[in-house]
Each structure stands twice: as C-alpha cells, then as structure tokens.
Amino acid sequence: MQVADNMAVSIHYTLTNSAGEQLDSSIGSDALVYLHGSGNIIPGLEKALQGKSVGDKFQVSIAPEEGYGEYFQEMVQVIPRKMFEGVDNVEVGMQFHADVSSGPGIVTVIKVEGEEVTIDGNHPLAGESLNFDVEVTDVRAATEDELAHGHIHGVGGVDH
C-alpha cells in the first residue's frame, strides 16, 4: 500500500535544523501516526511522503514556507509585565495562549526586562529549514470515524 490521501500513515522520524542539531525524534517511542491529506503534519513533509510505502527510508529538507512559515519580525512585541496578571514569575521560554492579529495563537516570552516583556508570536521553528530522516512503518486505509474526525484513533493517534 502506498501513502495517499485518506490513509493512516505511521512514521518514525528524526528532525534536525540546518546546523545539524536534533530538534525532535520519534525513535525510542511510538511512531507518529497521522491522516494523510488532512493537513495534520507540515505541508512539505506530507508532500515528501506521498507515494511512499512501508519500509521506505528517506531524507528530505523542508524550506520554511513548506514547514512552519517564514519568520515575521512584526510578530515580536514588547508589552507591559502587568498583562500577565496572575502569573507570579514570567520567564524566558514560557508560552501563553493569546489573541494575536491572525486570531488565537501561542506566544513565547523571549525577553524579560524590568516591567517590560518581549513576546514572539512566530512558531518556534518559523524561518527554519527542517531536515527529516524518515522511515514509513505502516500504511492502512483510515476508518470511517477517522475520516469523519480528520485524525487517526488508537495507538499513536487520538483516544476519544
């Protein structure tokens, strides 16, 4: 069976940046399971997996526009510390849900200086070229429930 739209696909992967630093990996844990063609993974990786079969191993480099997007400096803002009401200690690296220009999103604290906090609304991997080392471990037809819900159920998927 080949990877195609509406298939449940399982992969093991290791993700590195352009400096060769490992950012993420499924090795040593459950494979990543996703519904192909539903936008559950970044577009560049989904395109690279199209037509692959169980046992296929490959490496692919994904440009920012096919990954988590370009980095936009205008998504970095300095805001007053008092905006974090109820948070005793705001620290670099903390993430918060917030309403941003494009709707609900996540912002990351990148600097704390006195009563000013600098936040970044970009995805942490925005602007990065991403390098994947991938192995396809399973491909099967998605169930009717999985297709209706837009994601895979069970081991490695969503339980509900």
Side-chain angles (χ1 to χ4, degrees):
M1 232 179 227
Q2 290 187 320
V3 175
D5 287 354
N6 299 325
M7 301 298 281
V9 180
S10 301
I11 61 170
H12 272 296
Y13 69 93
T14 299
L15 169 62
T16 57
N17 61 16
S18 53
E21 300 166 321
Q22 183 174 311
L23 304 176
D24 196 13
S25 180
S26 67
I27 305 302
S29 61
D30 290 337
L32 171 69
V33 183
Y34 76 98
L35 179 60
H36 195 81
S38 290
N40 296 153
I41 62 174
I42 60 172
L45 184 56
E46 193 164 58
K47 287 176 186 174
L49 282 156
Q50 182 75 28
K52 300 290 189 209
S53 300
V54 173
D56 284 352
K57 296 179 182 183
F58 65 96
Q59 295 178 331
V60 62
S61 183
I62 309 294
E65 57 272 10
E66 289 289 314
Y68 293 99
E70 296 293 339
Y71 187 88
F72 296 106
Q73 188 60 42
E74 59 269 19
M75 292 184 75
V76 176
Q77 293 181 331
V78 178
I79 60 174
R81 166 72 176 82
K82 66 182 178 185
M83 300 279 294
F84 295 90
E85 188 177 316
V87 180
D88 293 334
N89 192 20
V90 178
E91 297 178 1
V92 171
M94 293 176 103
Q95 293 186 316
F96 296 91
H97 291 273
D99 287 325
V100 295
S101 60
S102 59
I106 296 177
V107 296
T108 303
V109 175
I110 59 171
K111 184 178 179 184
V112 179
E113 195 169 79
E115 292 303 308
E116 293 184 330
V117 177
T118 305
I119 58 171
D120 186 347
N122 288 288
H123 186 282
L125 296 177
E128 295 268 351
S129 290
L130 305 172
N131 303 301
F132 286 89
D133 191 354
V134 181
E135 178 181 4
V136 180
T137 59
D138 191 42
V139 179
R140 65 169 174 80
T143 66
E144 286 185 31
D145 276 350
E146 291 169 333
L147 292 172
H149 293 170
H151 57 250
I152 300 304
H153 297 156
V155 178
V158 177
D159 288 321
H160 58 98

